[in-house]
Amino acid sequence: MDSIRVLVLYLAVPSLLFSVLRQIISWRKKGDGLTKPIPGPQQFPIVGRVHDLDRFCMWKKFKEWADIYGPIYRTSMLGQQFIIISDVKIAEELLVKRGHIYSGRPQIRALFDHKTGPGYVALMDRHEIWTRQRKWVHAAMAEFHRHHFFGVIENEVKRYLAVLLLDPAKFHANTREHCGRIMSRLAWDDASIGKENGDSADCTLTQMSVSGPIVNTMTPLWVIPWNWNPWKKYERAREDKQRAWWLESFQVAKNRFLRGELPTDTWSNRYFTGLQKQGNLDLEQNPQEEEFASCMLGFQNLVGVVTMSGPMLFFLMAMLLHPEWQKKAQEEIDRVCGDRVPSSSDSADLPVVRACLKEAVRWRSGVPLGVPHQAEKDDEFRGEKISKGTIILACEWSMNRVPEQYPDPENFHPERYLEKGWPTYQEPLSQYPNFREGVGMHTFGWGRRTCLGQHIVDDEMLVSMAAVLWGFNLNRKISPKTGEVIDFDSEATNAHVILEPLPYPCEFQPRSAQKVEQILSGYVGARDTLRV
């Protein structure tokens, strides 16, 4: 143990001296009068302003600073420069209009080689591998959305409703598994690995997050030699296991395709069909190409889990805490759908449900810090210098709380999308609000790094959550000891870069005996195709 401490000291001291030198140079440059510094909190030697940031809810401090220093300010952490934005127009100016400068990704220390690929397209720098993967995923998502994902979501919802009926206490884990099953079914035609998919997604997000391994904030620790470095050993084992799983799933799907057994409504079938159209009838590829494809499909499968389960769980929480809106949404569902479970074809007729979904994502941001961009070269903004390597954070939590855009921002107001006079109101209500277009779309990122999953979010959120409200009343749980409603913290989360709320108490009460019968018979009818 003493040897590790000595080693850390030897590694940390040069890093700290380098940070001091860089800070002194920075101060001298500021003093030359050529550039005007962007405002921000007071910086301290070496640490910058890391000492009073809570890495488990950093977005709240950023919002506090935005209220003091304005919609764009600067800070630093252990020598790394940051620009924090809480204004949509400024974010558009930098991250969209100047996307050729601000579309890099910063190094996440606890991950190996994510900037070079091919493992995580959302975390790569912009290069040939990133371009190929992003282009393919974008086209595949758009094509499947045109067909509303071939009924896969509706089919899996039959199982999800039955699970909520039979085991309501585990709704938190079962919601994540539901999202994992949909993505695994679309990727490989294997929904049975939905739980493994969800667990793998959660583990990956832990590694990506500031709240995860300490090396993501205390980066000098990463250079500790392998024999004494638990973070490198853990990540090597985790990534190797994940890559092996993706490659095995890819090869199983390829063999099924060659036997004519792989359904056409899968992304892997689309990929293999594309190879054959290029003349590769036997699907023969070298190891590098197989790794490229298995990672592309694997990450597409993985990234759609927690990005969906978090917002769903926040939506259920919103309905639980706001029974008046739960009732309004149920009345709309009953009027439109009657005795049948809602489907994606009902979207135009369910504006109240869509408004509740959109407001839940605003009220409890799933990506409160935003996914960071990095300046790929020096730039100037409004006469002020932004150096290459600066990390740009479009802070979603702050943007969702700008009162001019979202009056009474701390409270849940779906009517902001339904009633004229609210800044976010858009017509026609048969189209707006949604997760693909219109106001308030910054949840999905900016410019060349915009999330490619908007289409599936639109369908999966609507179908899954409308189905829950069709089948169940969500009630606050009562303490058997005190007879009082059990309170919980609606902002308690796992603190990852993409959030899920921590488990909270919720009672799922079937709305009628008839709906119980419909839920069970629907599940029985679909069970053979679900691969449970």
Side-chain angles (χ1 to χ4, degrees):
M1 189 68 182
D2 288 339
S3 61
I4 293 178
R5 287 174 182 162
V6 170
L7 188 58
V8 170
L9 180 64
Y10 273 101
L11 292 167
V13 168
S15 175
L16 295 177
L17 290 174
F18 176 73
S19 297
V20 171
L21 180 61
R22 183 158 59 178
Q23 186 66 57
I24 292 171
I25 294 171
S26 172
W27 286 337
R28 292 187 64 182
K29 285 183 178 179
K30 287 181 183 178
D32 63 15
L34 298 178
T35 60
K36 176 186 175 184
I38 294 173
Q42 180 185 1
Q43 304 296 294
F44 294 89
I46 303 173
V47 298
R49 198 58 189 263
V50 73
H51 59 286
D52 57 354
L53 283 171
D54 184 346
R55 66 193 185 104
F56 295 99
C57 56
M58 199 176 286
W59 51 90
K60 293 185 180 179
K61 192 65 175 181
F62 285 167
K63 170 65 169 65
E64 179 186 322
W65 284 344
D67 292 340
I68 298 170
Y69 302 107
I72 178 169
Y73 62 89
R74 57 101 184 104
T75 188
S76 67
M77 303 177 200
L78 298 175
Q80 173 63 59
Q81 297 298 311
F82 287 82
I83 298 290
I84 314 296
I85 300 171
S86 59
D87 178 85
V88 170
K89 291 183 179 178
I90 295 175
E92 288 175 347
E93 176 68 26
L94 289 179
L95 305 181
V96 180
K97 295 178 182 178
R98 303 192 199 185
H100 60 291
I101 297 175
Y102 295 102
S103 292
R105 287 296 196 218
Q107 177 66 51
I108 299 170
R109 190 59 281 164
L111 296 180
F112 288 112
D113 303 323
H114 69 86
K115 288 164 72 72
T116 56
Y120 313 103
V121 65
L123 306 178
M124 291 181 206
D125 278 335
R126 296 186 302 139
H127 43 61
E128 188 267 344
I129 294 175
W130 175 79
T131 301
R132 283 179 62 197
Q133 287 196 0
R134 186 173 172 86
K135 182 178 179 181
W136 191 93
V137 171
H138 175 75
M141 278 289 188
E143 177 188 344
F144 274 51
H145 181 256
R146 284 194 295 272
H147 299 280
H148 291 292
F149 300 91
F150 301 97
V152 167
I153 298 169
E154 282 84 351
N155 210 37
E156 282 295 332
V157 160
K158 295 174 183 177
R159 178 187 181 277
Y160 180 50
L161 292 179
V163 167
L164 289 177
L165 177 68
L166 300 173
D167 196 4
K170 295 181 181 177
F171 76 94
H172 188 279
N174 288 330
T175 298
R176 184 194 290 175
E177 183 178 358
H178 169 65
C179 298
R181 286 179 61 88
I182 289 172
M183 297 306 293
S184 298
R185 166 62 181 82
L186 287 168
W188 319 109
D189 183 43
D190 190 1
S192 67
I193 57 176
K195 184 180 184 304
E196 181 182 0
N197 192 13
D199 293 344
S200 184
D202 183 63
C203 197
T204 304
L205 282 170
T206 300
Q207 293 300 102
M208 290 168 51
S209 302
V210 221
S211 59
I214 192 65
V215 292
N216 282 344
T217 47
M218 299 297 292
T219 54
L221 297 177
W222 186 252
V223 301
I224 292 174
W226 186 274
N227 287 342
W228 296 283
N229 194 318
W231 303 285
K232 282 185 177 177
K233 290 179 180 179
Y234 175 84
E235 175 56 14
R236 181 74 283 147
R238 185 205 67 81
E239 186 182 277
D240 287 350
K241 179 181 178 182
Q242 186 177 70
R243 294 284 186 93
W245 170 46
W246 287 349
L247 184 59
E248 179 186 10
S249 297
F250 176 84
Q251 291 169 339
V252 168
K254 178 171 71 172
N255 291 332
R256 290 183 65 198
F257 179 87
L258 291 171
R259 296 194 302 267
E261 298 172 0
L262 187 66
T264 57
D265 57 355
T266 56
W267 289 313
S268 47
N269 186 296
R270 185 182 187 276
Y271 177 78
F272 298 134
T273 299
L275 288 183
Q276 289 194 333
K277 286 180 179 178
Q278 296 169 16
N280 186 353
L281 300 182
D282 296 326
L283 309 182
E284 293 183 357
Q285 295 179 287
N286 62 40
Q288 290 73 29
E289 280 298 315
E290 285 205 338
E291 181 186 35
F292 168 92
S294 65
C295 286
M296 177 178 71
L297 292 166
F299 187 69
Q300 183 181 3
N301 164 37
L302 189 84
V303 77
V305 182
V306 182
T307 52
M308 220 80 78
S309 65
M312 284 186 190
L313 290 165
F314 281 124
F315 172 82
L316 296 176
M317 179 193 292
M319 294 294 94
L320 180 67
L321 296 177
H322 301 278
E324 71 282 7
W325 280 103
Q326 180 183 165
K327 184 178 179 181
K328 288 178 183 180
Q330 287 174 327
E331 288 173 348
E332 181 180 74
I333 292 166
D334 292 345
R335 183 173 64 253
V336 171
C337 303
D339 291 334
R340 62 174 177 80
V341 180
S343 72
S344 56
S345 62
D346 296 314
S347 177
D349 299 317
L350 298 175
V352 172
V353 176
R354 285 184 278 110
C356 290
L357 288 166
K358 184 104 169 185
E359 177 67 353
V361 170
R362 183 210 66 82
W363 172 68
R364 291 291 177 264
S365 307
V367 192
L369 290 172
V371 180
H373 293 232
Q374 189 166 44
E376 297 172 300
K377 62 181 181 180
D378 290 346
D379 189 30
E380 281 194 4
F381 178 66
R382 299 178 180 177
E384 303 171 5
K385 183 177 179 181
I386 298 177
S387 302
K388 177 182 178 180
T390 298
I391 294 174
I392 315 295
L393 283 175
C395 187
E396 183 73 8
W397 186 266
S398 298
M399 288 186 180
N400 285 338
R401 280 156 177 74
V402 174
E404 292 77 16
Q405 180 74 358
Y406 303 105
D408 193 19
E410 293 300 332
N411 290 312
F412 185 77
H413 287 293
E415 67 267 31
R416 68 176 79 248
Y417 303 102
L418 299 170
E419 298 174 2
K420 293 180 180 179
W422 291 83
T424 42
Y425 176 79
Q426 286 181 286
E427 293 181 336
L429 289 180
S430 58
Q431 179 179 353
Y432 300 105
N434 62 62
F435 289 118
R436 302 186 318 279
E437 56 192 347
V439 298
M441 292 314 302
H442 36 79
T443 295
F444 294 92
W446 302 89
R448 304 177 190 198
R449 306 310 301 232
T450 302
C451 173
L452 298 175
Q454 291 166 265
H455 295 94
I456 194 168
V457 170
D458 227 26
D459 277 12
E460 189 173 333
M461 288 281 287
L462 177 83
V463 174
S464 299
M465 296 297 95
V468 173
L469 294 183
W470 171 86
F472 299 93
N473 292 319
L474 277 59
N475 301 321
R476 298 289 299 271
K477 280 202 167 183
I478 306 296
S479 169
K481 290 184 178 180
T482 66
E484 301 292 329
V485 169
I486 301 174
D487 287 323
F488 61 90
D489 182 358
S490 70
E491 293 184 27
T493 71
N494 58 7
H496 291 167
V497 65
I498 301 173
L499 301 184
E500 281 184 343
L502 295 182
Y504 53 88
C506 179
E507 178 186 76
F508 290 81
Q509 176 192 29
R511 294 181 65 198
S512 68
Q514 181 184 359
K515 290 191 186 298
V516 170
E517 184 180 344
Q518 287 178 271
I519 290 171
L520 293 175
S521 63
Y523 171 64
V524 170
R527 184 171 181 174
D528 289 344
T529 63
L530 288 172
R531 295 186 67 178
V532 296

